[in-house]
Every structure is written in C-alpha cells, then in structure tokens.
Amino acid sequence: MSFEVRPAGSPPDAPLKLRLTFGEMPVEMAVPFASYDGSLSSSWLQEETLYVDVLPGKVSLPRRYSFRYVKLEVLDTSPKYRVSFFNLKCMTVTSADRANVIPFDHVDPLLRDIDRISVRTLEDCTQDVFEDGPKRDRRLWLGDLRLQALANYATFRNDALVKRCLYLFAGVSDERGRVSANLFIAPELIADDTYLFDYSLFFTVTLYDYYEATGERDTLQELWPTARRQVELALEQLDDSGIVRDEETWWSFIDWHESLNKQAPSHAVLIYALKRAIRLAEAVECDSIGELERCLADARRTALDLLWDAKQGFFVSGEGRQVSWAAQIWMALAEVLPSEENRTLMRRLLSTKPDIAPTTPYMYHHLAEALLVVGLKDEAVDLVKQYWGGMLKNGADTFWELYDPGNPDFSPYGSPLINSYCHAWSCTPTYLIRRYGL
Amino acid sequence: MSFEVRPAGSPPDAPLKLRLTFGEMPVEMAVPFASYDGSLSSSWLQEETLYVDVLPGKVSLPRRYSFRYVKLEVLDTSPKYRVSFFNLKCMTVTSADRANVIPFDHVDPLLRDIDRISVRTLEDCTQDVFEDGPKRDRRLWLGDLRLQALANYATFRNDALVKRCLYLFAGVSDERGRVSANLFIAPELIADDTYLFDYSLFFTVTLYDYYEATGERDTLQELWPTARRQVELALEQLDDSGIVRDEETWWSFIDWHESLNKQAPSHAVLIYALKRAIRLAEAVECDSIGELERCLADARRTALDLLWDAKQGFFVSGEGRQVSWAAQIWMALAEVLPSEENRTLMRRLLSTKPDIAPTTPYMYHHLAEALLVVGLKDEAVDLVKQYWGGMLKNGADTFWELYDPGNPDFSPYGSPLINSYCHAWSCTPTYLIRRYGL
C-alpha cells in the first residue's frame, strides 16, 4: 500500500505520526488491538505506526497485509498544520493466474457465488507457496496444501506450485524420514518442529491426488519413497491391538475441538492414506504392495472389531469411547463400512447429531465430501449452501478460517481478532461443486 | 542504526514485534512517551514500532535519530521462540569536518572540556544546513544560525555552509522583503510563516559577522539589499516616540521567559543591528549611510530618554517598566551607554539580580558576551564555567537547549521529554573561549 500525504495550514513544523490498522473484518477496526490477549502472538495483528518527516511525501508501506478495511489515524501533527491523503494505492499479489481459471457457471446463484468466493480465497492464498492464509500464518501447512491442491485442479491448474510444495516438504523430512506439518520458506527452507499424524499422511494423499490430476510419473517416482515412508511411520504408531495409539499431546490435528478424541479419526485417516498408497505403489510397481495390502486389511479389521459400536451404530474413539462427528466422517471417507452401511452411518450422523461436532470449515469440508462419497448429494448441497452460504450472508468475500454459525466469536486462540478471514482450508466448495457436479 | 536479529528456540512462527526508543537523556528511557502531554508535537519523541517478518533478519531503521541511549523492547515473539541481537551499528552524519577544526588547548581542564563539548554540539548540528538541534526541530533558525556561524569561524571554518544558509534565507523573503525566523528545506525550500523582530535583524548581523570572518565581498554585495531591508522593516516598527512598538503577540524572541517584556531588549537589538548595518553600508559604499546613522542616533537617544531609569540604574521595558536581565544584556551588547557606565550596568546587574532572569543557554550566551564586551572577563569566565560546566557535571556530552540550574526539569514546552539535549544555540562557549581568549 502506498499513499501521498500533503500538509494543510502552516508549513509542517514537526513530523507526522500515523497509525494504520488493517483488517479483514470490521472487528479489527472496532476493537483496539491493545486489548488483545489471545494465545497467538499479537504480532499477527496488522498495524503500523510510522512517521513522515518530510511533507508533502509519499508513504510506501514495507510489508504485505491482508485487508478489506484500513483505518488511518493521525496520532500527531502539530498545532500548526493538518494533513490530507491522496492517491492511496494497493497492489495485490498472488501467483495464481485468474486468466487460467477453468470457466464455470451454475444455475443456482448461491452456488455460483460460493464457487466465486472459493476461487478468490484460493487466489489470495496462492503465493510463493500455497499459504494457509495471507494474514496468518502465511505458511505452507500440509493439511491446507492437500485441500488447496484439490481446489486448484478444478480452477487455476497451477499444478507446478503443487509440485513445488511437495518437493519442499520432501526436501526437509527429518532423520527418520518424517514429513513436518508445515514449512518455513524464508530466509531459508526449514521444517517446523511440529509433526502431526494426519498431516504427515497427507503427504502421501496429496501426492496421490497430484498424480491423479496430472499423470506426471517423474514426480511420482521421485517422491514415492517419502510418501511410502509416511505410511510406514504411521504404522509404527499402532498399539498391540492394531489401533493407532492415543496420546495426550497434540499429536494429530483432525479439527479444532477442545474435547475431540483423535484416535478413531486418525485411524480412519491411516486407512484412507493406505488405500491411496497402494494405488501409488501399483503405479510405480513397488514390491511393497502386498505388505501395504495386508496392513490395510488389518487396519480395517481392527477398526471394525474395536472401534465400531454396533449398538450405537457409530465408531467410538479413545478410552472414553467418544462418539464424534469427526470419527464418523473420516471412517466414511475411508470407506471402512460397505457402501450401503456407510450411507446409513452418515444419515444416522445427520439425524443423531452427536455433541462433538465440527468446528472449522476444514472439518465441514470433510463432512461435505463424506456425504458425497456415500451418495448423499442433496444433503451435501444443503450443507455447502448453509455453511459457506452462511459466511457469505455474513459479508464474507473470502472464506474464513473459522465459522461456527451458533457462535460467531468462536476462536480457538482466545480472540476473533486473530482469526484469519481468508483461509485456504475453506476454499474447497469450488472443488466440491465442480468435481462432484453439485 | 541497523542490527541483526536471530531467533532462538523453535523456528519463528509469528513476526517479531519490536519497539525502539531513542533518547538523548535518561529521562527518555525512564518516562513512557505515552505520558507526554507537552505543547510541542509528540511526533518528536523518538520511537519506532516495527515488525520483522523473516528471521534471522537485518533491521535498518529508516530515519535519523539523535541519541545516547536506546531501549530495545521485544513486544511479542510467540511462545515458541525468543530473539537475540547482533552487530548493532550506528552511522553518524554531519557535514562538519573534524579534520578542519582549528587545534586548541587550554590550561584549565574545565574550559578545555567545555570547548570540546561545544565543538561536538556544533558538529552534530551541522547537517545540510546549520540545524538548531538534531533531535528537534532539525531546522534552520536565524537565531541559532548567527551563533553557530560565530562558533564555526573559531572551529570548523565551514564558511561555505554559513553562506549557503544566508542565501537560503534571502532567497525566500516575503513580498515585503522580510526574512523569516526559520526555513524548511525539504522537500523544497519554504519560509516558515513565523517572523520575529530580533531574528529578522540577525540576518543583517550574521551577514556582518560573515563579512568580518571571510572578507568575501561578492556575497556581501549580493545580500546587502536583503540585510538593509531588515533594518528598514524594523525601523517601521517604531512608535511615535521612536521606541520599538510593544505587542501582545510572539513578535520578538529574546528568551524563553513567560513574563519577559520584549520591548527594551528588542530596541537594543535594533541598535546593535543598526551599528553593523552602517559598517556594511560603508563596505558596499551604499548611499544610505547617512540615513542609517541618523536612525542609530535617534534610536540611541530614545533608549536613553525613555527606557533608561537613572534612579534604578537599569533599562526598563514595556508599560510595566519591567527590569529584566535581557534588557540590560542587550543594551550592554548594543553599547548604548558609554563604556564605563556600560560596565557599571553589568556589575549592577550581577549584584542586583532582577527577577526576570535568563532561562536558556541562548540568553546566557548573551550575558557572557555582554560581560566580555564591557571588560568583565573574570565574571564571564566564572559564568561559562558555572553554567556550561553545570551541564557537564550533570553528564552532558553535548550542550542542551535548556538548562536552569535551579530547576532541572524546566521546559518551555511543558515536558523535559521534548527538550533538545544537543542544541546549536548552546555551542557558543568555544567561540567565547577562543575569540576572547578566556
């Protein structure tokens, strides 16, 4: 952003002191940042305090910001002069090329709008890498990358960027070959010291999706060892009974829900990834196919033997045998039950509505896709229109990191000020609409 | 100033938010700037709040600061990392060339130190123009210029800069030919809309001093019309009785003293300037010599007839017939009384100590020079050692804009935070010591 400042009155006899506040949402304009006491760093709040020594002058702000609103406060001039502002300009940056977007229209104006906003959300998150959000964290997370890549195949076809991101992850796996949950790109590439069970497996899944979308064998050949390694490492996490070991730590993401037990959904993610790993192993003619198939059969069997509660008709998770939406959704996506039972599971989920519900667009995406996988297309359309359409009705022109229709101030970080209101993992309706023909 | 920042701990997962506070004095480190409520703009308080998005990184601060102290506050990192700082570098800027300083030593170590600190004060104020102070206002004021030029002739001999400043003032006189009290240099030269009776006359005085120091006739010839014009305009300010007209406004500077009446000292400045104008008129062989001499005789006569209170033995000023130090000092400098009586006047001033005393180093300079003009050298040496030596004992390594030994917090602006602690008009001891052989 840049603008010109011109003085009015006597010649400026003191510097101009300005504060600029950038916001994606009105709350960022209304609530003083000084009141913020959330768990994430206050340094994400977009604010600049600056001085202009020479007037008239041009101010060019040094950083990239993500905003729809900007508040310009003149903190001090002097009693002798005032200022006015001219030629405010903003340069937007993205590595997505709108000219490449696959043309799309829809008879339903709401779905057309939701598609359009999904595309814009993806566009704003497409930078040097696929970022999670342009306001926060501006980072390459595997969970976001997987969904951005899916939306990208249906829209911008910036497939080279997906490939770049996959190579970046593979390039900095740890000494055990484990892929980090996210990467830092500048000033040099380093893996974060955060490792998540589900995110590491999504390397394998994202490579599978990439190969499906592009048929590009060289990348597959080169990255297959890393993809296979994530599955091997995940299998090491199985306990004696053959179920993914539950932990007290933040070991698997799944969703931002404080009480969510991660065991069953993580076990389902393993099955989901194993299925795709087997197809990749077939493509590269790897001799591990047989072993992977045995592991898949075992994982599926233990899920049914130990996690399936036939009486309730739900999968249960952890010592407390928790019934969560996340567990049912991931088991449905992993297609653990036969087709008809899988559809019944999702119908039961929608009607029973267990307490441990989705909290993020990320989880809602998986719910929508699970409905489509089991053939409940009308329910999926309703969900997309209600959930993403709800953000739209609330003024969104990009989709948000967090949206709880019943609790508009929801933030897992203690303050809606710090939420990201343009977030990669919320861009998937364009993928759902176009891929599944909603 | 620049420095490197390196992270420690996990990779930095949020920007670094820093605040830097620059101070010439410890008070600027100790008292929060947010508490400032003085009359000058808070934008002079030297503070930067900035973000470092990429770590490790180098921070190069964009502005010029004047400081001996700097406070670095880490306002936020994230729970995952801390930072350390390396290679902090400061680049000092001046257009004064220390290699040119006329070598000087003194048997008295205190006078040697006072001379040294005067030279450094001048050095720091010598930039694109002679600034009043590097912290505040960074501006070319005629009252400061006159004293800087005198100190310069005894030290750096950067005479070209004096000439530049004289031309700048002459170049932007107003439609009546009046020279402004100060100039703005960037982005383009403009005169401030502040005009002061004494400061405008100092254009004439400064040109006289320049010609005395350099003998350079071309500049004198070119600038004489402007110098003469200031005297003519000052003479228009005389009332029917022939005394400079007193006003309620801020029409003449003289000193920062709230109750000081400016009439008598301003009348003395007129006499002082007239005497120098006559010598310049002689040098350029101007036909106005006779007229100027008549005016001088008139001004001197009215001073003695109307402002001299023989009973008190002091000059009085304004309707209230105020007896101030400033009136006696300027009358002594203007040598209105015969030599012996002039010396008696200054002796009487030192012993009687009227209430309306000097408040600034600027006024103390004129007191010291008045003592030297009347031949009270010992008293002048004592004054310089007590007053400027007092700042030195209080830790000064440049001389201050304001120093009241009895009131260390004195500020005409309502807060010592905003005072300038390296200020041109305080650099004159080097001139007094060297020129008068103290």
Side-chain angles (χ1 to χ4, degrees), chain B residues 219-234:
Chain B
T219 298
L220 174 60
Q221 292 281 1
E222 279 205 302
L223 297 183
W224 163 246
T226 305
R228 175 183 168 182
R229 184 68 187 139
Q230 304 320 301
V231 175
E232 290 169 358
L233 289 163

Side-chain angles (χ1 to χ4, degrees), chain B residues 14-26:
Chain B
L16 164 66
K17 185 178 182 183
L18 277 180
R19 183 163 55 211
L20 286 96
T21 308
F22 299 89
E24 296 177 326
M25 290 290 272

Side-chain angles (χ1 to χ4, degrees), chain A residues 9-17 36 39-57 63-64 75-81 137-139 184 186-188 190-194, chain B residues 9-17 36 39-57 63-64 75-81 137-139 184 186-188 190-194:
Chain A
S10 293
D13 59 341
L16 165 66
K17 185 177 181 183
Y36 172 76
S39 60
L40 295 183
S41 176
S42 65
S43 61
W44 288 117
L45 300 171
Q46 303 175 108
E47 186 178 72
E48 299 288 350
T49 305
L50 49 91
Y51 298 84
V52 186
D53 291 313
V54 176
L55 291 167
R63 306 166 71 216
R64 178 156 67 96
L75 296 184
D76 215 339
T77 54
S78 90
K80 296 194 74 173
Y81 80 100
D137 310 325
R138 302 184 173 183
R139 202 151 350 120
F184 298 90
E188 56 186 23
I190 40 173
D192 190 15
D193 53 8
T194 299
Chain B
S10 292
D13 59 341
L16 164 66
K17 185 178 182 183
Y36 172 75
S39 59
L40 295 183
S41 176
S42 66
S43 61
W44 288 117
L45 300 172
Q46 303 175 109
E47 187 178 72
E48 299 289 349
T49 305
L50 49 92
Y51 299 83
V52 187
D53 292 311
V54 175
L55 291 167
R63 306 168 69 216
R64 177 156 67 96
L75 297 183
D76 216 338
T77 54
S78 91
K80 296 194 75 174
Y81 79 100
D137 308 325
R138 300 185 173 182
R139 202 154 347 123
F184 298 90
E188 55 185 23
I190 39 172
D192 190 15
D193 53 9
T194 299

Side-chain angles (χ1 to χ4, degrees), chain B residues 75-92:
Chain B
L75 297 183
D76 216 338
T77 54
S78 91
K80 296 194 75 174
Y81 79 100
R82 300 167 68 86
V83 286
S84 41
F85 298 91
F86 296 87
N87 294 331
L88 194 146
K89 288 178 190 169
C90 301
M91 190 178 73
T92 57

Side-chain angles (χ1 to χ4, degrees), chain B residues 11-272:
Chain B
D13 59 341
L16 164 66
K17 185 178 182 183
L18 277 180
R19 183 163 55 211
L20 286 96
T21 308
F22 299 89
E24 296 177 326
M25 290 290 272
V27 66
E28 293 159 277
M29 298 295 102
V31 177
F33 288 176
S35 71
Y36 172 75
D37 66 347
S39 59
L40 295 183
S41 176
S42 66
S43 61
W44 288 117
L45 300 172
Q46 303 175 109
E47 187 178 72
E48 299 289 349
T49 305
L50 49 92
Y51 299 83
V52 187
D53 292 311
V54 175
L55 291 167
K58 183 172 175 180
V59 174
S60 294
L61 291 166
R63 306 168 69 216
R64 177 156 67 96
Y65 310 93
S66 178
F67 65 106
R68 290 193 294 173
Y69 305 92
V70 60
K71 183 164 59 176
L72 241 157
E73 290 171 279
V74 175
L75 297 183
D76 216 338
T77 54
S78 91
K80 296 194 75 174
Y81 79 100
R82 300 167 68 86
V83 286
S84 41
F85 298 91
F86 296 87
N87 294 331
L88 194 146
K89 288 178 190 169
C90 301
M91 190 178 73
T92 57
V93 284
T94 173
S95 64
D97 187 348
R98 192 163 269 273
N100 286 350
V101 175
I102 299 161
F104 180 77
D105 204 357
H106 201 289
V107 288
D108 184 329
L110 181 54
L111 286 178
R112 195 165 59 224
D113 282 348
I114 290 173
D115 180 83
R116 181 175 51 78
I117 291 180
S118 299
V119 171
R120 185 185 290 159
T121 304
L122 177 60
E123 185 180 23
D124 288 353
C125 295
T126 305
Q127 303 292 338
D128 285 347
V129 293
F130 283 109
E131 292 182 350
D132 55 341
K135 169 178 159 187
R136 206 207 80 242
D137 308 325
R138 300 185 173 182
R139 202 154 347 123
L140 176 55
W141 284 88
L142 244 171
D144 297 85
L145 170 62
R146 171 175 155 256
L147 301 187
Q148 283 168 295
L150 291 174
N152 169 72
Y153 302 136
T155 55
F156 292 102
R157 294 299 318 218
N158 192 352
D159 301 345
L161 190 62
V162 180
K163 181 171 159 179
R164 166 172 155 78
C165 293
L166 284 167
Y167 271 94
L168 290 173
F169 273 108
V172 289
S173 56
D174 73 4
E175 68 284 354
R176 295 171 60 214
R178 195 167 48 152
V179 165
S180 172
N182 72 85
L183 303 182
F184 298 90
I185 308 301
E188 55 185 23
L189 180 66
I190 39 172
D192 190 15
D193 53 9
T194 299
Y195 293 86
L196 295 168
F197 181 87
D198 49 349
Y199 276 35
S200 292
L201 284 171
F202 288 151
F203 180 86
T204 311
V205 173
T206 307
L207 181 60
Y208 169 81
D209 293 334
Y210 176 77
Y211 181 61
E212 281 287 294
T214 65
E216 205 248 286
R217 292 193 64 85
D218 289 350
T219 298
L220 174 60
Q221 292 281 1
E222 279 205 302
L223 297 183
W224 163 246
T226 305
R228 175 183 168 182
R229 184 68 187 139
Q230 304 320 301
V231 175
E232 290 169 358
L233 289 163
L235 289 167
E236 290 178 13
Q237 293 276 94
L238 299 180
D239 64 17
D240 292 342
S241 67
I243 295 289
V244 173
R245 195 177 298 109
D246 202 5
E247 288 179 34
E248 287 297 306
T249 60
W250 197 60
W251 61 282
S252 188
F253 176 66
I254 306 296
D255 193 17
W256 279 127
H257 190 302
E258 279 194 2
S259 313
L260 175 65
N261 181 279
K262 312 287 178 75
Q263 185 182 42
S266 297
H267 194 83
V269 169
L270 173 60
I271 295 169
Y272 183 90

Side-chain angles (χ1 to χ4, degrees), chain A residues 170-362:
Chain A
V172 289
S173 56
D174 73 3
E175 68 284 354
R176 295 171 61 213
R178 195 169 46 154
V179 166
S180 171
N182 71 86
L183 303 182
F184 298 90
I185 308 301
E188 56 186 23
L189 180 65
I190 40 173
D192 190 15
D193 53 8
T194 299
Y195 293 86
L196 295 167
F197 180 87
D198 48 349
Y199 276 35
S200 291
L201 284 170
F202 289 150
F203 180 87
T204 312
V205 173
T206 307
L207 181 61
Y208 169 80
D209 294 334
Y210 176 78
Y211 181 62
E212 282 287 293
T214 65
E216 205 248 285
R217 295 192 61 85
D218 290 350
T219 298
L220 174 60
Q221 292 281 1
E222 279 205 300
L223 297 183
W224 164 245
T226 305
R228 175 183 167 181
R229 184 67 187 139
Q230 304 319 302
V231 175
E232 290 169 357
L233 288 162
L235 290 167
E236 290 178 13
Q237 293 275 96
L238 298 181
D239 64 17
D240 291 343
S241 67
I243 294 289
V244 172
R245 194 178 298 111
D246 202 6
E247 289 179 34
E248 287 296 308
T249 61
W250 197 60
W251 62 281
S252 187
F253 175 66
I254 305 297
D255 193 18
W256 279 129
H257 191 300
E258 279 195 0
S259 313
L260 175 65
N261 182 279
K262 311 288 179 76
Q263 186 181 43
S266 297
H267 194 83
V269 169
L270 173 61
I271 294 169
Y272 182 91
L274 268 169
K275 289 185 171 179
R276 282 145 186 86
I278 289 165
R279 294 200 223 153
L280 293 180
E282 288 165 354
V284 297
E285 295 171 14
C286 177
D287 56 13
S288 64
I289 300 172
E291 173 64 17
L292 289 169
E293 282 178 337
R294 269 190 303 280
C295 291
L296 171 61
D298 288 350
R300 188 172 171 275
R301 186 175 38 75
T302 53
L304 293 172
D305 288 355
L306 302 174
L307 301 178
W308 177 247
D309 182 332
K311 202 170 141 201
Q312 294 192 76
F314 282 129
F315 289 93
V316 296
S317 183
E319 287 220 346
R321 299 179 60 81
Q322 181 184 78
V323 174
S324 67
W325 287 62
Q328 320 316 317
I329 288 165
W330 271 109
M331 288 292 180
L333 286 167
E335 297 172 274
V336 174
L337 296 173
S339 171
E340 199 58 47
E341 293 174 41
N342 213 16
R343 187 179 308 127
T344 306
L345 171 67
M346 290 310 288
R347 281 221 172 93
R348 191 179 299 120
L349 180 66
L350 292 181
S351 60
T352 309
K353 298 185 171 57
D355 287 345
I356 310 293
T359 61
T360 60
Y362 177 77

